[in-house]
Amino acid sequence: MSKVNKIAVLTSGGDAPGMNPCIRAVVRTGIYFGLQVVGVKQGYQGLINNNMYDMNERSVSNILHLGGTILKTARCMEFKEESGLEKAYKNLKNRDVDGLIVIGGDGTFTGAERFSRIYDIPVIGIPGTIDNDLYGSDFTLGFDTATNTVVEALDKIRDTADAHDRLFFIEVMGRDSGCIALRAGIAGGAEAILLPEKETAIEELIENLKSGSNKKTSSIVIVAEGDKNGGAYDIAKKVKEHVPSYDVKVTILGHLQRGGSPSSFDRVLGSRLGYAAVRALINGETRKMVGLKGNTIQLAELDEAISHHEFKLEQDLLDMVDILSI
């Protein structure tokens, strides 16, 4: 593989806190090692539209604390078509870009892996998704911040729930992964946590709530959006039908979880992953993802990251949910 001289970096898919520290690390590491760095605006759409610009070390000043992504992001259906891939490749070649770093999740990596194989351009992926659902990394960018955001919201909702003796159902993000729901639920003292990975019958939930109702003035149930029983509103309605005495309220946290200043953990993780991604390109790696495993940065094959489904819900956390809620 020829030496990499000029690299491009983009963020794609859902935004996640920690993307900006990661972009900063990519740009400054690349410049430190003598590379030119190009920023791509709006993800793969920016590759197709040639929406790119040269970056220097000052381009990423004062962004560590910012949520979202200074490069913007977008979902791009055109990148799934041969014509879109060809446009993207020509635009990169016209700018003499010979290496690409993509920050995103499963969909981002799927596009990057296919693009790299068709046009033989080196690509390194960085896991940036609040869902923490990518194989090859213990933690993904944005997960820690999103979980802290949920916990902060739970603490505030607990105050009003306790004041009115209410049962609150709180829906959090996690269509396929219950990582946010599980950790935030334990940290926020939830009485029950409903997860996509673990089916919980409504009857079981009601019995659990009843068993604690004589000892508690309020209860909070965390619902991951991908739970098999439906969303928080559907579950709350079913519970209310079975136990009309409950004063039931529902809160959907939604995109609140994506925003906010990244936590210290996500700032450091983003910096580590950005640095490692540039080093991987310099060392001739391609179609790999940099990830955190056991507090060390390791490489995983991109196709493994997008084809394997690693269950990250620790069994001890699952076991303690009912025990700690008594």
Side-chain angles (χ1 to χ4, degrees):
M1 183 177 293
S2 60
K3 182 178 181 295
V4 174
N5 295 297
K6 192 172 187 179
I7 64 174
V9 58
L10 62 82
T11 52
S12 176
D15 61 295
M19 283 183 167
N20 284 326
C22 189
I23 294 167
R24 175 179 179 269
V26 168
V27 172
R28 292 191 171 177
T29 303
I31 292 171
Y32 179 87
F33 286 106
L35 306 181
Q36 293 178 276
V37 184
V38 171
V40 182
K41 302 279 279 190
Q42 295 186 314
Y44 292 132
Q45 195 64 55
L47 286 184
I48 293 171
N49 295 342
N50 199 23
N51 190 3
M52 312 180 208
Y53 66 104
D54 294 334
M55 302 185 77
N56 58 42
E57 58 270 29
R58 300 281 73 82
S59 300
V60 290
S61 296
N62 300 318
I63 66 169
L64 275 170
H65 64 292
L66 300 178
T69 161
I70 63 166
L71 292 177
K72 309 296 183 181
T73 183
R75 303 189 189 278
C76 179
M77 299 304 294
E78 192 178 354
F79 197 71
K80 296 181 179 181
E81 307 295 331
E82 294 290 343
S83 59
L85 295 177
E86 185 178 2
K87 288 179 186 177
Y89 178 71
K90 287 181 177 179
N91 287 333
L92 287 176
K93 286 291 98 180
N94 287 338
R95 289 178 175 268
D96 297 321
V97 172
D98 46 21
L100 180 63
I101 292 175
V102 299
I103 308 169
D106 184 86
T108 300
F109 290 172
T110 299
E113 208 272 342
R114 181 166 175 249
F115 183 58
S116 177
R117 287 193 182 280
I118 292 175
Y119 291 102
D120 195 29
I121 184 168
V123 171
I124 298 294
I126 297 176
T129 167
I130 67 171
D131 291 326
N132 200 40
D133 59 352
L134 284 172
Y135 177 86
S137 188
D138 294 337
F139 295 100
T140 59
L141 270 183
F143 169 67
D144 183 70
T145 305
T147 303
N148 285 330
T149 297
V150 173
V151 171
E152 183 180 354
L154 290 186
D155 290 345
K156 293 178 178 179
I157 290 171
R158 175 76 71 180
D159 290 342
T160 188
D162 187 61
H164 293 272
D165 295 341
R166 283 172 174 160
L167 165 60
F168 266 85
F169 287 86
I170 312 298
E171 184 175 297
V172 301
M173 285 184 169
R175 185 177 64 250
D176 301 309
S177 169
C179 288
I180 290 177
L182 181 59
R183 286 180 175 263
I186 290 175
E191 278 65 39
I193 305 171
L194 304 187
L195 310 165
E197 297 89 344
K198 179 184 177 183
E199 197 160 340
T200 303
I202 293 297
E203 294 75 19
E204 179 185 348
L205 171 62
I206 291 171
E207 287 305 311
N208 289 341
L209 292 172
K210 282 183 176 179
S211 66
S213 61
N214 61 337
K215 295 174 285 184
K216 298 182 178 183
T217 60
S218 65
S219 295
I220 288 181
V221 177
I222 302 296
V223 182
E225 61 183 330
D227 179 73
K228 304 299 186 295
N229 291 298
Y233 278 107
D234 290 338
I235 297 170
K237 182 179 178 181
K238 293 173 184 177
V239 170
K240 184 70 174 177
E241 288 172 352
H242 285 82
V243 191
S245 59
Y246 279 146
D247 185 6
V248 178
K249 299 293 179 182
V250 176
T251 298
I252 311 294
L253 295 184
H255 286 80
L256 176 74
Q257 297 155 86
R258 288 200 182 279
S261 182
S263 65
S264 172
F265 181 88
D266 277 329
R267 296 185 197 195
V268 174
L269 179 60
S271 299
R272 294 180 75 181
L273 294 177
Y275 166 81
V278 175
R279 295 301 302 266
L281 279 180
I282 291 173
N283 292 335
E285 300 287 357
T286 184
R287 294 192 284 277
K288 300 285 180 65
M289 181 192 81
V290 290
L292 182 69
K293 298 290 288 185
N295 203 31
T296 61
I297 303 299
Q298 299 181 19
L299 293 175
E301 299 288 339
L302 263 188
D303 58 359
E304 287 186 1
I306 58 183
S307 63
H308 287 65
H309 293 283
E310 184 178 26
F311 293 97
K312 299 189 178 185
L313 301 186
E314 299 88 337
Q315 190 57 50
D316 64 320
L317 297 185
L318 292 170
D319 291 342
M320 73 172 67
V321 171
D322 293 336
I323 295 173
L324 298 186
S325 65
I326 60 174

